[in-house]
Amino acid sequence: MQLLDGKLLSSQIKQEIAAEVAQIRGQGGKIPHLVAILVGNNGASETYVASKMKNCEEVGMHSTLIRFDPSVSEEELLNKVRDVNENPDMDGLIVQLPLPDHINPDRIMETIDPAKDVDGFHPINIGRMAKGLPAYISATPQGVLEMIKRYNIETSGKHCVVVGRSQIVGLPMSILMQRNTYPGNCTVTLTHSRTKNLAEICRTADILVAALGKPEFVTADMVKEGAVVIDVGLERVPDASKKSGFALKGDVKFDEVAPKTSFITPVPGGVGLMTICSLMQNTLKAARGEIYA
């Protein structure tokens, strides 16, 4: 069993990004600029956004955080998105989810300029990804691909089972793993909470991607010997032994599953760190006009 070390890889990738940004600065070019919009004071969202801003600073990028009270109207939020769209100094835009119930997230995402949609949530980017055209790919699936690539994991002809069908992870992951490229060329089965014989299907996976959002859902009896297991889950579970009162768990019961695998991601220290790197890579692409001239 070998750990897919997100901490090690993210450190390498951030060094690569920092070197590119330093080169841009040295040539007098425009420094990549990421804008994040945060509505309300959701604890997890606060943590995620703060981490994104901190990582931008570490690699020499500019970042701007725009905050709104949870009572902000949908129209006011849309107007701010349009302002960022029209600002040539701002290269990438993310609107942190979840949003308050009175705001339609689809309407917000569809208003973001596809050329600044570094989260890869706009229907145009999703469609281009599905067709195999250049696109901003959702940060978590892109992070998983980067991890597979950097560990030289063979994917061609393999059976990949994705557990979870969210538009942010599961669905794009299933599309990406079947494309005629590397990583890719898998036979893909997309499963979810209502799939019958789920454990039996998981046992057929050469590559198992767990993105269901249920702590320690995948157990040893669901994994075949030698499988590659990628755990996208990250949930807080009450734990009285911890000072914080909770522990971070993935969708995979790591201690019992790990001995059966060839590769496995830890939680924390796995896919989550790669997600933030992907976001910065996309912002760099946006600043260069790499996807949309």
Side-chain angles (χ1 to χ4, degrees):
M1 183 272 291
Q2 184 174 356
L3 277 181
L4 296 170
D5 191 340
K7 187 174 182 181
L8 174 64
L9 290 185
S10 65
S11 176
Q12 293 173 353
I13 293 168
K14 284 196 290 186
Q15 288 176 18
E16 293 165 8
I17 295 171
E20 285 198 54
V21 174
Q23 185 178 29
I24 292 169
R25 180 175 278 107
Q27 294 172 347
K30 181 190 171 304
I31 303 302
H33 186 173
L34 175 66
V35 178
I37 295 177
L38 178 61
V39 180
N41 49 13
N42 177 285
S45 293
E46 292 269 5
T47 300
Y48 295 150
V49 171
S51 179
K52 291 166 184 174
M53 300 293 100
K54 179 174 177 288
N55 277 272
C56 281
E57 182 181 343
E58 288 177 359
V59 299
M61 289 183 179
H62 295 322
S63 65
T64 298
L65 173 58
I66 300 171
R67 290 178 173 271
F68 285 102
D69 290 332
S71 60
V72 64
S73 71
E74 183 173 279
E75 200 55 43
E76 186 178 355
L77 185 55
L78 286 169
N79 285 335
K80 179 52 69 174
V81 169
R82 294 181 187 113
D83 287 345
V84 176
N85 284 346
E86 294 168 7
N87 189 331
D89 180 57
M90 297 174 169
D91 302 299
L93 170 61
I94 60 171
V95 178
Q96 184 66 39
L97 302 176
L99 293 168
D101 291 341
H102 67 280
I103 296 176
N104 181 346
D106 289 334
R107 193 170 177 219
I108 303 301
M109 296 305 155
E110 289 170 14
T111 303
I112 296 173
D113 182 347
K116 297 191 178 188
D117 170 40
V118 290
D119 254 338
F121 293 162
H122 194 287
I124 288 177
N125 279 315
I126 294 171
R128 289 175 66 92
M129 174 199 69
K131 284 181 66 65
L133 298 172
Y136 294 115
I137 295 170
S138 184
T140 298
Q142 182 172 299
V144 172
L145 294 186
E146 192 74 25
M147 189 173 265
I148 289 171
K149 191 186 303 180
R150 292 190 182 231
Y151 274 91
N152 298 309
I153 295 171
E154 180 58 51
T155 61
S156 182
K158 302 296 184 180
H159 183 204
C160 175
V161 174
V162 180
V163 186
R165 56 181 168 181
S166 76
Q167 293 183 28
I168 295 174
V169 181
L171 179 60
M173 198 76 244
S174 68
I175 293 170
L176 292 163
M177 291 300 283
Q178 58 80 36
R179 292 196 307 180
N180 184 19
T181 184
Y182 176 76
N185 281 312
C186 289
T187 299
V188 179
T189 303
L190 178 61
T191 68
H192 46 81
S193 59
R194 297 191 183 185
T195 299
K196 293 181 179 179
N197 304 319
L198 179 56
E200 183 181 334
I201 294 170
C202 288
R203 281 193 294 273
T204 67
D206 302 303
I207 302 169
L208 180 63
V209 181
L212 197 62
K214 292 187 177 181
E216 300 188 320
F217 177 85
V218 177
T219 51
D221 64 304
M222 298 171 69
V223 178
K224 78 173 182 181
E225 291 286 343
V228 175
V229 176
I230 296 168
D231 189 350
V232 180
L234 182 64
E235 291 82 35
R236 293 183 178 188
V237 176
D239 187 340
S241 69
K242 302 286 185 182
K243 186 177 179 181
S244 63
F246 65 85
L248 294 174
K249 298 289 184 180
D251 286 355
V252 176
K253 200 163 188 178
F254 182 88
D255 289 345
E256 68 173 55
V257 170
K260 297 184 73 173
T261 66
S262 55
F263 293 91
I264 188 169
T265 58
V267 174
V271 174
L273 294 168
M274 299 298 292
T275 297
I276 294 175
C277 284
S278 297
L279 187 64
M280 291 188 293
Q281 287 175 320
N282 281 347
T283 303
L284 189 57
K285 290 177 183 177
R288 293 194 301 234
E290 190 171 310
I291 307 296
Y292 299 92

